[in-house]
Amino acid sequence: MFASLSDRITQALSSLRGKGRLSDADIAASISEIRRALLDADVALPVVRDFTATVRERAEEAELSKVLNPAQQIVKIVHEELTRILGGHSRDLRFAKRGPTVFLLAGLQGAGKTTLAGKLGRWLREQGHTPLLVAADLQRPNAVQQLQIVGEGAGVAVWAPEPGNGVGNPVEVARTGVQHARDAFFDVVVVDTAGRLGVDADMMQQAADIRDAVDPQEILFVIDAMIGQDAVTTANAFAEGVGFTGVVLSKLDGDARGGAALSVASVTGVPVMFASTGEKVGDFERFHADRMASRILDMGDVLTLIEQAERAFDEEQAAEMAAKIAGDGDFTLEDFLVQMQQMRQLGSMKKMLGMLPGMGQLREQLENFDEREVDRVEAIVRSMTPEERRTPKIINGSRRSRIARGSGVTVAEVNSLLDRFEQAKTMMRSMARGGGAPGVPGGFGMGSMPGMGKKSKGRMQAPPQRGKKSRSGNPAKRAAEERAAAQRAEAKPVAGSAFGLTDADAPPKLDLPEGLGKFLGR
């Protein structure tokens, strides 16, 4: 959703790089470009004015850090201010001391309340709670049936005593739902309420009546992240009519400009607590303002990626895989197949890759990435015999032809997969041992990847030696040459010293985000 905004802000900040000192004109030009980017993203005008004024003031008055260069100082300020307008620190849900805890969902029709009720229920179940969904939306056609289907998919019970479609009293349904949860020992109740296409008095009154009947611990305002400039008006109307304690952003995976996410928390003063990031019931996550600011600035979101990996990967299995990658065993195609199946549990490959730092520079490649490529790779591996998966070296020409026919691909694609598997295994092993990517001192480098390096004609390689130079026949001259050669040998720098190493045998250190090391055998 924030692709365009991210590209424009990072482009505005990139123009500051390489400057030892920033002038007032440099700062003004960058802030002006950021201001236009925020307005184009449908961020509310008061929020934009406050943001740009604060960034300008801090950029002009702050003393330059001794560690950061001026460009990094500006990036740091922009990141902190983005975090502030997104709501600052995250807040946990409030639970009742004596159950059941009641969460009330409110919002316009079409914002995604019913689907989000199932996602929230599933998330609460994974947190160790026993949630109950209450179908109190009796106005919209088939809303009750939709919640029942969503609840079944999420593995959460649904209380639906009325058929809906205009029949029944929603206030009574909500009240009896809480009583049923108390009698059946459900510890959390999620009440789905009706919405309208626009803000009106009847909708507000009904939501207020349900609120008074169930006394919720949290009232979560569900807002469509693609709503645009109208987000502030709608949020203020609900704040006055019903009141809410938290915001949930739905449809955050859309391609709209996303100004609602940057406006609601700042205008209402209520934090964004959750975000719906896809259509599947598992596409639901806690909203962290600092992590979202990092995504917008193309710094990635490694912490969220680690959290998702910890949920999807079995800890013992991950430790065993990490040991194999590090060299204690042989990482085979069978292991690779297991890893692929676990990766599928994380969701879209595009979304995972987009959480890595600097991937905004490869946005076009990410957009063109075919998710079906994972299916083709899995088909190729599954077309192999168990022996071939364990020992890929035995796969000769005839075996490759059989594998290609069995998986519906060409022999060239089978060859490409086997080559990439060996390259990936070598790279992962080097990373696990702390040496970075092969051939790249101190860490990753795109030049070591096939097709990613840049070669300039006639300048990258030293001219070929034409044979050893003959020694001079003059004894005095020959002695001088030998002394000069000895001095050059003594003055030769330690291998790798240009990268901060003092020992030729010491591997470069690869700094990893906290929590990621255990997946690499650290």
Side-chain angles (χ1 to χ4, degrees), residues 7 41 45 52 65 75 93 194 208 267 306 330 335 383 387 404 418 424 512:
D7 289 343
L45 182 59
T52 53
S65 169
V75 171
L93 288 170
V267 170
I306 291 171
D330 189 18
D335 301 321
S383 297
E387 184 180 4
L418 293 173
L512 297 173

Side-chain angles (χ1 to χ4, degrees), residues 238-521:
F238 271 89
E240 294 173 3
V242 183
F244 53 87
T245 59
V247 177
V248 182
L249 294 173
S250 64
K251 306 178 186 178
L252 203 61
D253 58 320
D255 57 358
R257 290 170 285 189
L262 299 174
S263 304
V264 173
S266 181
V267 170
T268 64
V270 178
V272 180
M273 301 184 68
F274 296 97
S276 174
T277 58
E279 297 180 356
K280 297 181 180 179
V281 71
D283 295 334
F284 181 78
E285 61 187 43
R286 288 284 306 277
F287 185 90
H288 299 277
D290 54 341
R291 300 183 190 180
M292 184 58 67
S294 295
R295 292 190 197 184
I296 294 174
L297 294 179
D298 196 24
M299 296 177 181
D301 187 0
V302 179
L303 289 177
T304 299
L305 191 59
I306 291 171
E307 290 175 358
Q308 293 179 355
E310 287 177 338
R311 289 197 300 267
F313 284 72
D314 179 77
E315 189 170 348
E316 293 182 1
Q317 199 172 40
E320 182 181 348
M321 291 291 183
K324 286 186 176 183
I325 292 172
D328 297 338
D330 189 18
F331 185 77
T332 66
L333 282 165
E334 284 187 338
D335 301 321
F336 176 65
L337 185 61
V338 172
Q339 293 283 70
M340 284 187 57
Q341 292 169 344
Q342 292 180 331
M343 291 285 285
R344 282 178 175 275
Q345 299 178 27
L346 294 176
S348 168
M349 290 290 292
K350 287 183 182 180
K351 187 164 67 175
M352 283 189 293
L353 293 172
M355 292 183 185
L356 298 176
M359 293 305 290
Q361 303 173 24
L362 304 175
R363 197 178 306 283
E364 184 177 352
Q365 291 90 322
L366 280 179
E367 292 299 325
N368 295 330
F369 177 76
D370 187 1
E371 297 279 356
R372 294 173 297 178
E373 178 67 20
V374 180
D375 298 327
R376 286 191 284 269
V377 170
E378 185 173 348
I380 294 173
V381 178
R382 289 190 179 278
S383 297
M384 301 177 184
T385 66
E387 184 180 4
E388 290 170 343
R389 294 176 196 166
R390 288 191 296 266
T391 315
K393 293 181 179 179
I394 68 172
I395 304 179
N396 55 23
S398 61
R399 290 175 183 263
R400 294 175 190 235
S401 298
R402 190 204 76 244
I403 294 169
R405 290 194 301 271
S407 55
V409 300
T410 64
V411 175
E413 289 179 275
V414 177
N415 295 337
S416 176
L417 171 63
L418 293 173
D419 291 341
R420 285 183 292 169
F421 172 72
E422 290 299 326
Q423 292 172 1
K425 185 166 68 171
T426 301
M427 181 173 292
M428 288 188 298
R429 184 157 294 173
S430 178
M431 289 169 56
R433 291 174 178 174
V440 186
F444 296 98
M446 299 305 289
S448 64
M449 302 296 288
M452 298 300 290
K454 183 184 289 187
K455 296 183 180 180
S456 57
K457 299 179 180 180
R459 305 226 9 135
M460 298 297 291
Q461 297 179 352
Q465 295 185 357
R466 301 181 180 277
K468 190 174 181 180
K469 186 178 179 181
S470 60
R471 300 171 64 187
S472 173
N474 188 321
K477 188 175 181 180
R478 184 168 63 245
E481 290 176 350
E482 291 174 351
R483 285 195 300 272
Q487 292 174 356
R488 285 195 300 270
E490 292 177 358
K492 186 177 181 180
V494 178
S497 60
F499 301 96
L501 302 181
T502 57
D503 185 358
D505 297 328
K509 183 178 180 182
L510 180 63
D511 293 329
L512 297 173
E514 184 179 355
L516 189 60
K518 65 180 180 181
F519 294 103
L520 299 174

